[in-house]
Amino acid sequence: MIPLTETQVRGPELQKKVSFLNGLGLVIGAMIGSGLFSSPGPVLEAVEGPGTALIIWFVSGLLALCGALCYAELGTMLPMNGGESVYLYRAFGSLVSFTFEFVSIVVQKPGSLAIVCTVFGEYVSRIAFHTYFFRVPHDSEAAVELADSVIPRYLPKLLAVISLWLVNIINAFSTRAGIRVQDFLTILKVLAAIVISITGVVMLAKGTVIGTSFEGDPFAGFDQLSFGQYSLAFYSGLWAYDGWNNLNYVSGEMKHPHKDLPRAIFIGIPIVIVCYLFSNVAYLAVLRPQVVMHTNTVAMDFGKKIFGPVGGILLAVCVALSCFGVTNATVFTGSRIIYVSAKQGHIPSVFGKLNASRQTPITAIVLQGLLTTIMIIIGSFRALVNFYSTCAWIFYFLAVLSLLVFRYTEPDLTRPYRVWLTTPILFCIVALFLCVMPFMAAPWESFTSLGFILLAIPIWLVQVKYREAIGKLWNGK
């Protein structure tokens, strides 16, 4: 009888195919997306002053960079797929890790995917019906009302579901195919952001500003804003930067994680910050502040104002492709959370299997796709965004806190990259603040989020803690 090899006993493992450039594309691609074209309005509406809004964008980017640098130490110290689930399990045990996996699998990743896919569907719908509403002035509320009255209510959702499953098929077919799609869309998105930012900045430098956003004091009224207004602005800004932690989910598939993971973060996130700042300067230089505050298609309005209807269509296409890119990055990383959770025995083992020929976690991708489809069908996601943000920042806080725990409990652990101690401490303070404030600014969503997190506890007791005892009782032993 021929003994099985170690690989045959363990089964197939995810292969190391992600290079530095692939990782850089994943960081940029996961962050630049619908937020660049949907969050400028809510940020400006919360703080009112364009100068203050730009500061919010810059500080939000710095916070994302601090978090990513902390994750770089965690990712190079523990270069395994799974991201936060790995760190939380080692630092705080099975309950916290399971709770994160449960919330991520059922709410965070599907919710984020559903929001981005819906934005994709809405933009593509408006492209298809552009002849109806491009004749209406860009600064008129009638533009949105007319589009909503003409476009079939089911069409954006149908397009959202189609885009989701197209990405699922790409990632199920091949890990390398998913990476190549991400690389291509990342280049396209960055080029679109560069076109928007250069156009606006050139107009501002030449003094041919069309909008009125920079007239007067750009920081007027910043000292009269309430704490709630600032917090709402940061929520919108941080939502746009969300995705800065995605590279850690696939660190186990990187060819040289100790070297490439920090490099991808150090280069990728500053690129995103610059793109966001310049793009917002462009919007404010071209459009009136009232338009930026109230439109849901700021890139389309920008394109119509500068280049006419054709420009609006082209930028709408760029928005749709950027959403497609974020969907691809989120499907790629989210399926790895399901894969690792199944490998740990927290969910059925069928979701921890790889396709023998493709070497991709097809069952994990399908599960994530089904949950996302349900959320797309539900309809409105405004409350879900607040719900998602509360969940996300609770676990961002715990993940970076685990870094401080490791510094104390495992000081001799090999750390190829070591972040300054002040960085995780500062991040934890700000993250804790962001975890607490939603309970005052948006209590319904926050307490619902907390209840969903607590729901994981009884499931953990049955599925993990007393699983063996319940199995024996069920079998009559």
Side-chain angles (χ1 to χ4, degrees), residues 218-233:
F219 300 98
F222 80 94
D223 55 342
Q224 300 176 0
L225 296 174
S226 67
F227 185 77
Q229 287 174 292
Y230 276 114
S231 62
L232 290 176

Side-chain angles (χ1 to χ4, degrees), residues 96-114:
V96 178
S97 177
F98 178 86
T99 302
F100 165 76
E101 292 164 4
F102 177 77
V103 173
S104 296
I105 292 170
V106 180
V107 176
Q108 286 184 231
K109 289 297 180 181
S112 177
L113 270 171

Side-chain angles (χ1 to χ4, degrees), residues 52 72 95 121 128 247 273 319 340 348 353 355 361 380 393 404 407 428 431 438 469 477:
T52 309
L95 174 59
L247 189 57
I273 293 174
V319 172
V340 171
K353 296 183 180 299
N355 180 269
S380 175
W393 279 95
L404 298 175
R407 289 281 185 96
C428 283
K477 296 181 179 180

Side-chain angles (χ1 to χ4, degrees), residues 287-302:
L287 302 173
R288 295 187 297 112
Q290 293 80 4
V291 176
V292 177
M293 289 180 189
H294 298 109
T295 183
N296 292 323
T297 56
V298 65
M300 186 180 294
D301 292 320
F302 176 87

Side-chain angles (χ1 to χ4, degrees), residues 68-70 72-74 76-77 258 262 266 415-420:
L69 292 177
C70 295
E73 177 174 331
L74 291 168
T76 55
M77 181 174 64
H258 296 169
F266 267 118
R415 292 174 171 83
Y417 171 77
R418 192 182 184 95
V419 72
W420 287 347

